[in-house]
Amino acid sequence: RDFNERCAQCSEVNWGLTDGGRFYCRSCHNVTERTREVVNTDFITNSRVQTISKGLRKQEKNDGGCEWYICEGFQLVLKKQAEALEALGVCPQMKDEILCSFWRCYLQKSKQAYCKRPAGETVKALSACESSTDVDSDPERPSLLHLLSVSESEGDLQTDCSFVSSVSKVSESTSVYSGSVDGSLYLMKNQKEKLKMTMPMTLSFCYMALLWLREPITLSELLRFVVEGHIPYLNVFQHFPEKMKLCGLDLRIFCVESWPVYEEVFNKMHELAAFLDLPRFPDITDSCFLHPDMLCMKYLMEANLPDELHNWTCRVVKKIGIGEVDFLTLMPGNKSTRKVKYDVLAAAVIVVVLKLLFLLDDHYEWLLSEFAEERNKNSAEGGPYFEFKKWYEVVKQSLDMEQKKLDEERAKYLWRCEKPLFYSVKNKSKVLKRRQMVVNLQNQFGKLSGSVRRAEKPNPSSFQLSWSEEKTDGSCFHRHSLKGVLQEKCGLLTAMNPDYWLCTVKLCNEKLCGHLAHYREVEFPQSYHFVLGLFSFLLRIQPSYIHDEVCMIEHKLFNKILYKKLKYNTVLRK
């Protein structure tokens, strides 16, 4: 009350005290260098105390662990993931500023921290709240504030007293079943009204921060780096401090035994952005990596397709307006705008261009290949013509090898972590003995069979398939010409193919059935299915999601023709 200066950031006068005795703004959470000076008459005259202790927190348990909360565990996970992304070359601003800001906002919105203490709370509840915020009693234990931000030296976590007091009442009864204080309360049904934190949501937080910074990492790449082990996700709790004991119900929260799903992480990211009331994200312009023109260039190179196709993808993007800033930029909470999957959208544009030029009906593309093959044999002037059949054979061979390698790696993956897990303190000794026995047996059988240890994981790369132009076997098609499928008309190059087949005439309601169109392999040509399968492998998603985007692009591209056709059919029915 004695400190009446205005905050330098928000100009409000609403101060609180951190554990170190510094003043912080309750409105914007700005921490000042100013400390509160308290005169203590119990000491020598004129002596002053410049830090205020809130009492010792009950740290040590019977098993040597300390009290910790679920949100602290998730914060450790986010910290490890942010550090891994920073090691991959992401801007350091992501961890200390963007992701930290999003996480603090989530804690406040979900009433887990940074919220006002309700009036009329009992002294017991207040003491429980204060003891839960004390971080000075154990310097080795990471504080809830300092895990993400390394730039701040002091901070105060104002935890919701009603939440902590309710947790403290059940902590004793649940200590056998959970290592955390609030593990059982976190899984209770009455907590469903909040956007409850889960392990897939940690990736949603990371992707949201990457999107805010417009980093050159798509969601499909982020999930692939997770599967390859470059970003902590599976068994990430092994990095928890020793005093944060994990057992019982905590395993249901932090122990993951499945790969992250694209659609789940994507949808949760949009829910989070709306839940946090975030403003409009920075604009996705044509110079950003996430723009369709940029991503199409990348996927054309990775799919070993001719460079000339990029001109056609740019024409399609411009024609239907999916390269506009307002279409691409995320506006949280705006239900009228469509949620853009940047990587899937770019792959769908390439598929539509291939249909425009080669039709992909299991007949026309092979006729064009025969013509290009005959021309390449007779003449080599102006570079080789693109042969769809030869491209299909080369890419399919490489794709089958990579798919087989991926399937073998997933089959051999050890889901069990090195750190033993136990569901109760009573079974701890049994689990440790059994784990040690398993390790000894594995080592003995390994020596007998002469098995080689697994090689270290390769360095992460944005490209899964690489094609070198230096090879003389003709396996790289980047410089091949499209003259065999194009003709000049009115000064413009147009496709020789005058026909086009639509994947679907009428789109479904995406909100009701989850898809714009239904994809069944037997109903479509094999060439079309192969192209979808290729990009499905590159993006690690189901082909049906790419098919949805293809249908959406087609309806934008042929909107006038479809409108006339539907209108004509309606007149005939009347």
PDB file of all heavy atoms in Angstrom, residues 130-146:
ATOM      1  N   GLU A 130       0.104 -19.693   0.297  1.00  0.00           N
ATOM      2  CA  GLU A 130       1.429 -19.091   0.432  1.00  0.00           C
ATOM      3  C   GLU A 130       2.512 -20.154   0.439  1.00  0.00           C
ATOM      4  O   GLU A 130       3.567 -19.992  -0.151  1.00  0.00           O
ATOM      5  CB  GLU A 130       1.485 -18.245   1.700  1.00  0.00           C
ATOM      6  CG  GLU A 130       0.636 -16.981   1.599  1.00  0.00           C
ATOM      7  CD  GLU A 130       0.696 -16.155   2.871  1.00  0.00           C
ATOM      8  OE1 GLU A 130       1.279 -16.656   3.846  1.00  0.00           O
ATOM      9  OE2 GLU A 130       0.180 -15.042   2.878  1.00  0.00           O
ATOM     10  N   SER A 131       2.226 -21.267   1.134  1.00  0.00           N
ATOM     11  CA  SER A 131       3.240 -22.312   1.172  1.00  0.00           C
ATOM     12  C   SER A 131       3.459 -22.926  -0.194  1.00  0.00           C
ATOM     13  O   SER A 131       4.541 -23.361  -0.538  1.00  0.00           O
ATOM     14  CB  SER A 131       2.827 -23.412   2.166  1.00  0.00           C
ATOM     15  OG  SER A 131       1.636 -24.051   1.717  1.00  0.00           O
ATOM     16  N   SER A 132       2.380 -22.952  -1.008  1.00  0.00           N
ATOM     17  CA  SER A 132       2.522 -23.514  -2.350  1.00  0.00           C
ATOM     18  C   SER A 132       3.313 -22.617  -3.268  1.00  0.00           C
ATOM     19  O   SER A 132       3.835 -23.064  -4.271  1.00  0.00           O
ATOM     20  CB  SER A 132       1.138 -23.778  -2.956  1.00  0.00           C
ATOM     21  OG  SER A 132       0.497 -22.554  -3.218  1.00  0.00           O
ATOM     22  N   THR A 133       3.403 -21.322  -2.937  1.00  0.00           N
ATOM     23  CA  THR A 133       4.141 -20.400  -3.800  1.00  0.00           C
ATOM     24  C   THR A 133       5.576 -20.212  -3.362  1.00  0.00           C
ATOM     25  O   THR A 133       6.343 -19.533  -4.037  1.00  0.00           O
ATOM     26  CB  THR A 133       3.460 -19.022  -3.803  1.00  0.00           C
ATOM     27  OG1 THR A 133       3.409 -18.535  -2.464  1.00  0.00           O
ATOM     28  CG2 THR A 133       2.061 -19.117  -4.379  1.00  0.00           C
ATOM     29  N   ASP A 134       5.961 -20.776  -2.245  1.00  0.00           N
ATOM     30  CA  ASP A 134       7.317 -20.575  -1.765  1.00  0.00           C
ATOM     31  C   ASP A 134       8.290 -21.420  -2.573  1.00  0.00           C
ATOM     32  O   ASP A 134       8.123 -22.616  -2.715  1.00  0.00           O
ATOM     33  CB  ASP A 134       7.402 -20.977  -0.284  1.00  0.00           C
ATOM     34  CG  ASP A 134       8.806 -20.852   0.253  1.00  0.00           C
ATOM     35  OD1 ASP A 134       9.469 -19.861  -0.116  1.00  0.00           O
ATOM     36  OD2 ASP A 134       9.230 -21.733   1.012  1.00  0.00           O
ATOM     37  N   VAL A 135       9.308 -20.792  -3.088  1.00  0.00           N
ATOM     38  CA  VAL A 135      10.317 -21.501  -3.878  1.00  0.00           C
ATOM     39  C   VAL A 135      11.706 -21.324  -3.298  1.00  0.00           C
ATOM     40  O   VAL A 135      12.671 -21.806  -3.857  1.00  0.00           O
ATOM     41  CB  VAL A 135      10.312 -21.002  -5.340  1.00  0.00           C
ATOM     42  CG1 VAL A 135       9.001 -21.347  -6.000  1.00  0.00           C
ATOM     43  CG2 VAL A 135      10.560 -19.517  -5.416  1.00  0.00           C
ATOM     44  N   ASP A 136      11.811 -20.614  -2.180  1.00  0.00           N
ATOM     45  CA  ASP A 136      13.128 -20.361  -1.611  1.00  0.00           C
ATOM     46  C   ASP A 136      13.598 -21.489  -0.713  1.00  0.00           C
ATOM     47  O   ASP A 136      14.759 -21.565  -0.363  1.00  0.00           O
ATOM     48  CB  ASP A 136      13.100 -19.060  -0.792  1.00  0.00           C
ATOM     49  CG  ASP A 136      12.855 -17.857  -1.682  1.00  0.00           C
ATOM     50  OD1 ASP A 136      13.244 -17.942  -2.867  1.00  0.00           O
ATOM     51  OD2 ASP A 136      12.284 -16.869  -1.216  1.00  0.00           O
ATOM     52  N   SER A 137      12.658 -22.370  -0.273  1.00  0.00           N
ATOM     53  CA  SER A 137      13.051 -23.389   0.682  1.00  0.00           C
ATOM     54  C   SER A 137      13.937 -24.458   0.064  1.00  0.00           C
ATOM     55  O   SER A 137      14.651 -25.137   0.762  1.00  0.00           O
ATOM     56  CB  SER A 137      11.800 -24.052   1.283  1.00  0.00           C
ATOM     57  OG  SER A 137      10.980 -24.555   0.237  1.00  0.00           O
ATOM     58  N   ASP A 138      13.864 -24.624  -1.237  1.00  0.00           N
ATOM     59  CA  ASP A 138      14.705 -25.613  -1.903  1.00  0.00           C
ATOM     60  C   ASP A 138      15.257 -25.013  -3.189  1.00  0.00           C
ATOM     61  O   ASP A 138      14.563 -24.960  -4.194  1.00  0.00           O
ATOM     62  CB  ASP A 138      13.895 -26.879  -2.217  1.00  0.00           C
ATOM     63  CG  ASP A 138      14.786 -27.991  -2.734  1.00  0.00           C
ATOM     64  OD1 ASP A 138      16.012 -27.736  -2.875  1.00  0.00           O
ATOM     65  OD2 ASP A 138      14.282 -29.089  -2.995  1.00  0.00           O
ATOM     66  N   PRO A 139      16.500 -24.545  -3.187  1.00  0.00           N
ATOM     67  CA  PRO A 139      17.030 -23.893  -4.386  1.00  0.00           C
ATOM     68  C   PRO A 139      17.197 -24.841  -5.558  1.00  0.00           C
ATOM     69  O   PRO A 139      17.277 -24.417  -6.691  1.00  0.00           O
ATOM     70  CB  PRO A 139      18.393 -23.365  -3.912  1.00  0.00           C
ATOM     71  CG  PRO A 139      18.760 -24.225  -2.752  1.00  0.00           C
ATOM     72  CD  PRO A 139      17.477 -24.597  -2.081  1.00  0.00           C
ATOM     73  N   GLU A 140      17.265 -26.162  -5.306  1.00  0.00           N
ATOM     74  CA  GLU A 140      17.456 -27.094  -6.404  1.00  0.00           C
ATOM     75  C   GLU A 140      16.161 -27.362  -7.161  1.00  0.00           C
ATOM     76  O   GLU A 140      16.180 -27.798  -8.296  1.00  0.00           O
ATOM     77  CB  GLU A 140      18.009 -28.417  -5.866  1.00  0.00           C
ATOM     78  CG  GLU A 140      19.388 -28.282  -5.252  1.00  0.00           C
ATOM     79  CD  GLU A 140      19.883 -29.599  -4.731  1.00  0.00           C
ATOM     80  OE1 GLU A 140      19.156 -30.594  -4.856  1.00  0.00           O
ATOM     81  OE2 GLU A 140      21.003 -29.636  -4.206  1.00  0.00           O
ATOM     82  N   ARG A 141      15.034 -27.088  -6.522  1.00  0.00           N
ATOM     83  CA  ARG A 141      13.748 -27.350  -7.152  1.00  0.00           C
ATOM     84  C   ARG A 141      13.380 -26.193  -8.067  1.00  0.00           C
ATOM     85  O   ARG A 141      13.332 -25.055  -7.642  1.00  0.00           O
ATOM     86  CB  ARG A 141      12.685 -27.535  -6.070  1.00  0.00           C
ATOM     87  CG  ARG A 141      11.288 -27.752  -6.611  1.00  0.00           C
ATOM     88  CD  ARG A 141      10.347 -27.965  -5.447  1.00  0.00           C
ATOM     89  NE  ARG A 141       8.984 -28.089  -5.933  1.00  0.00           N
ATOM     90  CZ  ARG A 141       8.195 -27.055  -6.146  1.00  0.00           C
ATOM     91  NH1 ARG A 141       8.640 -25.838  -5.949  1.00  0.00           N
ATOM     92  NH2 ARG A 141       6.954 -27.238  -6.571  1.00  0.00           N
ATOM     93  N   PRO A 142      13.119 -26.435  -9.337  1.00  0.00           N
ATOM     94  CA  PRO A 142      12.796 -25.335 -10.253  1.00  0.00           C
ATOM     95  C   PRO A 142      11.461 -24.697  -9.905  1.00  0.00           C
ATOM     96  O   PRO A 142      10.492 -25.394  -9.653  1.00  0.00           O
ATOM     97  CB  PRO A 142      12.740 -26.025 -11.614  1.00  0.00           C
ATOM     98  CG  PRO A 142      12.442 -27.448 -11.316  1.00  0.00           C
ATOM     99  CD  PRO A 142      13.077 -27.744  -9.993  1.00  0.00           C
ATOM    100  N   SER A 143      11.419 -23.390  -9.897  1.00  0.00           N
ATOM    101  CA  SER A 143      10.172 -22.696  -9.592  1.00  0.00           C
ATOM    102  C   SER A 143       9.283 -22.670 -10.809  1.00  0.00           C
ATOM    103  O   SER A 143       9.736 -22.790 -11.935  1.00  0.00           O
ATOM    104  CB  SER A 143      10.465 -21.263  -9.145  1.00  0.00           C
ATOM    105  OG  SER A 143      10.899 -20.500 -10.223  1.00  0.00           O
ATOM    106  N   LEU A 144       8.002 -22.485 -10.579  1.00  0.00           N
ATOM    107  CA  LEU A 144       7.033 -22.514 -11.659  1.00  0.00           C
ATOM    108  C   LEU A 144       7.223 -21.366 -12.622  1.00  0.00           C
ATOM    109  O   LEU A 144       6.907 -21.469 -13.787  1.00  0.00           O
ATOM    110  CB  LEU A 144       5.623 -22.462 -11.056  1.00  0.00           C
ATOM    111  CG  LEU A 144       4.468 -22.786 -11.977  1.00  0.00           C
ATOM    112  CD1 LEU A 144       4.636 -24.172 -12.545  1.00  0.00           C
ATOM    113  CD2 LEU A 144       3.152 -22.673 -11.248  1.00  0.00           C
ATOM    114  N   LEU A 145       7.763 -20.256 -12.121  1.00  0.00           N
ATOM    115  CA  LEU A 145       7.969 -19.101 -12.994  1.00  0.00           C
ATOM    116  C   LEU A 145       9.254 -19.200 -13.796  1.00  0.00           C
ATOM    117  O   LEU A 145       9.315 -18.779 -14.934  1.00  0.00           O
ATOM    118  CB  LEU A 145       8.025 -17.825 -12.147  1.00  0.00           C
ATOM    119  CG  LEU A 145       6.778 -16.949 -12.144  1.00  0.00           C
ATOM    120  CD1 LEU A 145       7.031 -15.727 -11.298  1.00  0.00           C
ATOM    121  CD2 LEU A 145       6.403 -16.521 -13.541  1.00  0.00           C
ATOM    122  N   HIS A 146      10.273 -19.768 -13.175  1.00  0.00           N
ATOM    123  CA  HIS A 146      11.606 -19.648 -13.769  1.00  0.00           C
ATOM    124  C   HIS A 146      11.908 -20.733 -14.782  1.00  0.00           C
ATOM    125  O   HIS A 146      12.962 -20.722 -15.390  1.00  0.00           O
ATOM    126  CB  HIS A 146      12.667 -19.695 -12.667  1.00  0.00           C
ATOM    127  CG  HIS A 146      12.512 -18.585 -11.674  1.00  0.00           C
ATOM    128  ND1 HIS A 146      13.109 -18.609 -10.453  1.00  0.00           N
ATOM    129  CD2 HIS A 146      11.793 -17.438 -11.723  1.00  0.00           C
ATOM    130  CE1 HIS A 146      12.798 -17.506  -9.772  1.00  0.00           C
ATOM    131  NE2 HIS A 146      11.990 -16.795 -10.533  1.00  0.00           N
TER     132      HIS A 146
END
